[in-house]
Amino acid sequence: MEDPTFFYAIEIDKEDGRIANFFWADCQSIMDYACFGDAVSFGTTFQTNMFEMPFAPFIGTNHHKQTIIFGAALL
């Protein structure tokens, strides 16, 4: 409610009512994707957290070859 440009989507597991997937992107990430979203890398090579949900960032590079984050998810 404080930031209307913040986007998120939540999928709830129908069997136990727990969060199955959670995706989010803030305003800066959305603007960066509009400018630099020609190539996106998606990976889940990070360790899972205590809920056994891998962290999955959506990343790319800007015109200075710096890594930028387009969004992230817990799967």
Side-chain angles (χ1 to χ4, degrees), residues 4-68:
T5 60
F6 183 82
F7 174 81
Y8 68 94
I10 302 172
E11 182 181 355
I12 304 295
D13 189 330
K14 293 180 182 176
E15 292 180 16
D16 60 11
R18 295 174 58 190
I19 293 175
N21 299 306
F22 182 56
F23 172 82
W24 68 94
D26 64 1
C27 177
Q28 186 63 51
S29 296
I30 294 168
M31 289 190 309
D32 286 344
Y33 179 77
C35 294
F36 307 111
D38 296 334
V40 177
S41 174
F42 171 77
T44 58
T45 58
F46 296 103
Q47 295 177 340
T48 60
N49 60 16
M50 65 186 228
F51 301 106
E52 298 298 319
M53 298 178 78
F55 177 69
F58 293 84
I59 59 173
T61 57
N62 64 15
H63 55 286
H64 297 292
K65 297 186 180 180
Q66 297 169 323
T67 301
I68 50 177

